[in-house]
Amino acid sequence: TPASVIAILEAMQSAGYHINHAPRDAAALMALINDGVTNSRVSQSRRSEAILPLADYQRYVAQISPTAQQMMTDQWEEPQGDPFFRDGAFHLPVHIFGHIAIAVPPARGYNIHPKSSYHDPALPPPHGYLAFHFWLEHVFQAQAAVHVGKHGNLEWLPGKAVSLSADCFPEICGGTMPTIYPFIVNDPGEGTQAKRRISATIIDHLTPPLTRAESYGPLKQLEA
């Protein structure tokens, strides 16, 4: 995934997009991400390039469905308790390079098992998750999102399966931004989910070449 991000950045630079001081390789990109705010390390001392004040967040939240607001409050209580919140604002896991932002989206939940929360159809996203998407669309004013990796969790949030309404969290978080989704070709089920629930444009790519993994360690001894 990091190598793919670098390749996309290089292609965009060649096409004339304004990108400043971006990492040159995957290792540099990961070192930069790990040095900032992450889902596993939301330390109070870590610097963020994307800050959303509480007043702005509350103004955006007031515009969404009252049903969705109540679901979030029931599950996560007040936004000040979110791990990404400190000093009156959300400090988000984003790095900005000119007109490009690279980010790891906030986790779908906290203080719960992350694997079990990933596809939970009833779990509303926490405040930091919503703040990230508000910042992306309203503050950074991104014209499109390119989602890189196996798949995210935006398309698995609570709401209808198709023909989403204002009460559906993929619609609330995704907003009006187009989503470009490089997606592995051998998983059409989850690719279809992204098309149906976040109107993603899927760009299929082939599976990696296969080779024998062979045995190792005690398994190799047992086989012999």
Side-chain angles (χ1 to χ4, degrees):
T1 298
S4 296
V5 172
I6 296 299
I8 291 169
L9 288 177
E10 291 173 348
M12 293 181 74
Q13 281 183 308
S14 298
Y17 284 86
H18 180 64
I19 303 174
N20 284 341
H21 310 299
R24 295 294 182 184
D25 55 50
L29 173 61
M30 291 310 300
L32 183 70
I33 288 175
N34 285 324
D35 192 48
V37 176
T38 69
N39 284 322
S40 60
R41 289 181 287 182
V42 288
S43 163
Q44 301 300 303
S45 62
R46 287 178 178 264
R47 178 181 171 273
S48 172
E49 296 181 49
I51 296 174
L52 186 69
L54 178 60
D56 291 344
Y57 174 77
Q58 291 173 327
R59 185 172 75 254
Y60 296 132
V61 166
Q63 300 172 23
I64 72 172
S65 153
T67 301
Q69 292 182 47
Q70 191 61 50
M71 286 178 65
M72 291 184 63
T73 302
D74 290 345
Q75 177 68 43
W76 305 110
E77 299 181 351
E78 297 303 316
Q80 292 90 330
D82 193 273
F84 289 98
F85 189 90
R86 75 170 189 266
D87 301 329
F90 288 92
H91 296 249
L92 304 167
V94 179
H95 300 269
I96 302 172
F97 308 98
H99 291 171
I100 300 294
I102 298 177
V104 178
R108 172 125 185 235
Y110 53 88
N111 297 332
I112 54 178
H113 196 285
K115 188 174 181 180
S116 62
S117 73
Y118 211 85
H119 295 90
D120 189 336
L123 180 69
H127 295 283
Y129 190 102
L130 203 57
F132 168 78
H133 286 91
F134 285 153
W135 178 88
L136 198 61
E137 182 170 14
H138 299 295
V139 179
F140 189 68
Q141 297 183 339
Q143 294 173 321
V146 181
H147 186 103
V148 184
K150 176 60 167 68
H151 71 71
N153 50 40
L154 179 60
E155 63 268 35
W156 302 96
L157 297 180
K160 294 162 65 181
V162 293
S163 247
L164 275 63
S165 72
D167 291 337
C168 302
F169 279 98
E171 190 79 3
I172 293 168
C173 295
T176 59
M177 251 192 321
T179 299
I180 301 165
Y181 221 128
F183 209 96
I184 195 163
V185 74
N186 69 347
D187 195 353
E190 292 184 338
T192 300
Q193 179 87 346
K195 288 173 70 70
R196 286 177 175 173
R197 302 198 77 230
I198 57 173
S199 301
T201 297
I202 303 295
I203 303 174
D204 284 319
H205 61 84
L206 294 175
T207 56
L210 303 180
T211 185
R212 277 185 61 86
E214 304 295 347
S215 295
Y216 56 90
L219 291 177
K220 190 170 186 178
Q221 296 172 1
L222 179 63
E223 184 179 27

